[in-house]
Amino acid sequence: MDSNGPIAVLPYFSIERKDYKIRPISQGYINDTYALMQDDGPCYILQRLNAQVFSNIDVLMQNIHHALPYLNDENYYLISLISTIDGKPYLKINKSDCWRMLTMVPDSIAFNTTQDEGIALEAGKIIGKFHSLLQEAPLDMFKDSIPGFHDLNLRARQFAEATSSATADKLKEAEKAILFAKLTLEELRFYDPGNLPLRICHNDTKLNNILFHKQDKRALCLIDLDTVMKGYFHYDFGDAVRTIVNNVNEDEKNLSKITFNKGLFEAFVDGLSENSDFLTKAEIQHLSFGVKLMPFMHGIRALTDYLNGNIYYKVTYETQNLDRCHNLFAFTKKAAEHMDYMQEVIIKKF
Ligand code: GN1
Ligand code: MG
């Protein structure tokens, strides 16, 4: 049975009974997100979790539950989970119909892209803060909500399966992207992270998952904790950089608009260096690799989904995943051209 949407689930959460208005938030490729509004503005976030993508929602919610107490700091805005009326962390109507509610961060704003070095600096600071707070959390408390999420070898296998079962039309349409994916996999997939430490990462640190204060533009916190689990720091570094230094977002079809803005990169690294005591030398060495790896990983995942007939990401038109793939691969090339530059900046700043 289906809950029939956000209004129907409200009575199951421990919130004041009021006449809330519900506004859908269309961002995100996975969950369905709604803002709950009262007269003086939004007050809660309500989300229907995508049970196909997250096959173990208990694990996902446990990870968030474990992470939150560590994110309690005067320089970090702590979001809370609103439990259900029977004290559960989320509402499970059935296996494929699960909902959770979170507090809204007042006076906050998110950006898909930025031209403002102040924002890039703040983004670096808050990502550093997030990691320095979570380094106190025992790693073993966290389980993989999506096993192999950033494992390029797994993504390569899924891509190979998709190419072997895709229609001839799709293979033709995606020919160029497939070629680039194969070539780049040769270069990246046997990369060995060596003895890099595993950390509790956010694993989706794109710019619009950071909230800023509306007025003074201070970074407040990270949102979308669905993929908080073990990972390497260069994942979070790469995802942040790919969305900060690029003046257009990953849905942009005009690839000539894609940028690698050096001022924004340097500001981001400056911000991060303010909260980076936890980073080891080896991790610092790997940061720039993350900037090539992450857009490529997202690109190959989008390509795989296009070939599979759009079964993972929410799309609004048939070739959206392929367009995202072209965009993400174009940025991967930009990142590759800037490897020496990034390495120089990183060595200077850390
Ligand atoms: C998905 O739904 P959203 O935007 O939070 C994806 C991320 C990608 C992102 C954009 C669980 O996240 O890995 O960075 O799209 N999340 C999952 O490419 O697959
Ligand atoms: Mg996400």
Side-chain angles (χ1 to χ4, degrees):
M1 232 220 5
D2 212 42
S3 62
N4 291 322
I7 305 254
V9 301
L10 289 191
Y12 296 98
F13 285 94
S14 312
I15 53 172
E16 238 184 296
R17 304 288 151 223
K18 277 188 185 168
D19 196 9
Y20 299 100
K21 302 255 171 330
I22 297 202
R23 179 167 56 84
I25 298 179
S26 58
Q27 240 147 33
Y29 299 101
I30 309 288
N31 297 324
D32 299 331
T33 304
Y34 305 88
L36 245 67
M37 321 281 293
Q38 52 188 24
D39 292 341
D40 50 352
C43 48
Y44 297 105
I45 287 286
L46 175 66
Q47 290 184 301
R48 176 192 239 139
L49 295 161
N50 185 324
Q52 245 162 314
V53 164
F54 300 112
S55 53
N56 195 334
I57 291 178
D58 283 328
V59 161
L60 177 159
M61 293 303 293
Q62 276 299 319
N63 286 345
I64 298 179
H65 186 74
H66 289 319
L68 289 178
Y70 290 91
L71 296 173
N72 195 354
D73 181 271
E74 57 175 345
N75 294 313
Y76 192 96
Y77 187 95
L78 181 64
I79 293 177
S80 312
L81 274 171
I82 304 289
S83 56
T84 64
I85 45 176
D86 51 5
K88 306 254 167 58
Y90 73 97
L91 174 69
K92 182 174 184 173
I93 292 181
N94 59 47
K95 235 181 138 227
S96 59
D97 198 17
C98 297
W99 296 78
R100 74 158 167 233
M101 196 181 276
L102 300 150
T103 51
M104 187 83 148
V105 183
D107 298 317
S108 63
I109 183 167
F111 304 101
N112 290 325
T113 59
T114 189
Q115 311 264 8
D116 180 345
E117 289 177 14
I119 293 291
L121 181 111
E122 282 293 313
K125 278 205 238 172
I126 204 79
I127 289 175
K129 188 80 202 172
F130 179 88
H131 275 267
S132 40
L133 293 172
L134 276 174
Q135 76 169 329
E136 306 300 328
L139 277 182
D140 292 344
M141 243 156 82
F142 295 80
K143 306 275 174 286
D144 289 349
S145 54
I146 303 183
F149 189 50
H150 286 156
D151 175 355
L152 193 56
N153 286 303
L154 171 69
R155 299 308 182 187
R157 287 197 297 279
Q158 292 171 335
F159 166 64
E161 278 161 28
T163 50
S164 68
S165 57
T167 62
D169 282 357
K170 285 210 167 82
L171 290 171
K172 181 89 198 110
E173 184 81 19
E175 203 174 358
K176 265 177 131 177
I178 292 174
L179 185 66
F180 180 79
K182 286 183 177 165
L183 288 173
T184 310
L185 276 174
E186 288 308 308
E187 181 200 338
L188 300 183
R189 72 182 293 191
F190 301 109
Y191 179 82
D192 179 8
N195 54 359
L196 292 183
L198 280 168
R199 301 190 173 280
I200 300 309
C201 290
H202 180 280
N203 288 307
D204 195 11
T205 46
K206 49 189 183 150
L207 179 61
N208 64 13
N209 273 339
I210 300 174
L211 294 185
F212 297 84
H213 193 277
K214 252 188 198 150
Q215 272 83 42
D216 63 19
K217 303 293 185 315
R218 174 167 49 91
L220 301 171
C221 62
L222 273 71
I223 53 169
D224 181 6
L225 303 182
D226 287 339
T227 46
V228 167
M229 57 183 156
K230 290 181 215 89
Y232 296 115
F233 184 76
H234 63 261
Y235 298 161
D236 281 1
F237 184 83
D239 259 336
V241 171
R242 78 174 176 91
T243 51
I244 288 171
V245 306
N246 187 354
N247 288 157
V248 293
N249 66 38
E250 65 189 73
D251 276 319
E252 174 62 53
K253 289 192 227 169
N254 182 347
L255 304 185
S256 69
K257 290 189 181 165
I258 292 176
T259 58
F260 188 111
N261 181 316
K262 292 183 173 176
L264 292 169
F265 179 77
E266 286 164 40
F268 174 73
V269 175
D270 270 334
L272 176 64
S273 69
E274 286 185 35
N275 287 329
S276 64
D277 288 351
F278 61 91
L279 282 178
T280 66
K281 275 214 177 85
E283 284 176 296
I284 293 170
Q285 272 300 326
H286 281 73
L287 295 178
S288 55
F289 175 72
V291 182
K292 196 156 67 168
L293 175 71
M294 296 314 293
F296 178 67
M297 181 108 61
H298 291 302
I300 200 169
R301 289 174 59 200
L303 176 57
T304 302
D305 199 36
Y306 168 74
L307 295 170
N308 285 337
N310 306 322
I311 53 178
Y312 183 93
Y313 295 106
K314 287 195 273 182
V315 291
T316 49
Y317 61 95
E318 163 69 20
T319 53
Q320 188 178 2
N321 269 314
L322 184 59
D323 288 340
R324 275 181 59 229
C325 163
H326 286 311
N327 174 310
L328 288 155
F329 283 176
F331 184 79
T332 307
K333 289 178 199 158
K334 278 250 177 291
E337 289 161 17
H338 286 80
M339 291 304 279
D340 291 342
Y341 158 76
M342 283 191 276
Q343 212 49 22
E344 255 170 57
V345 173
I346 287 163
I347 286 169
K348 203 168 76 201
K349 308 258 187 201
F350 286 98

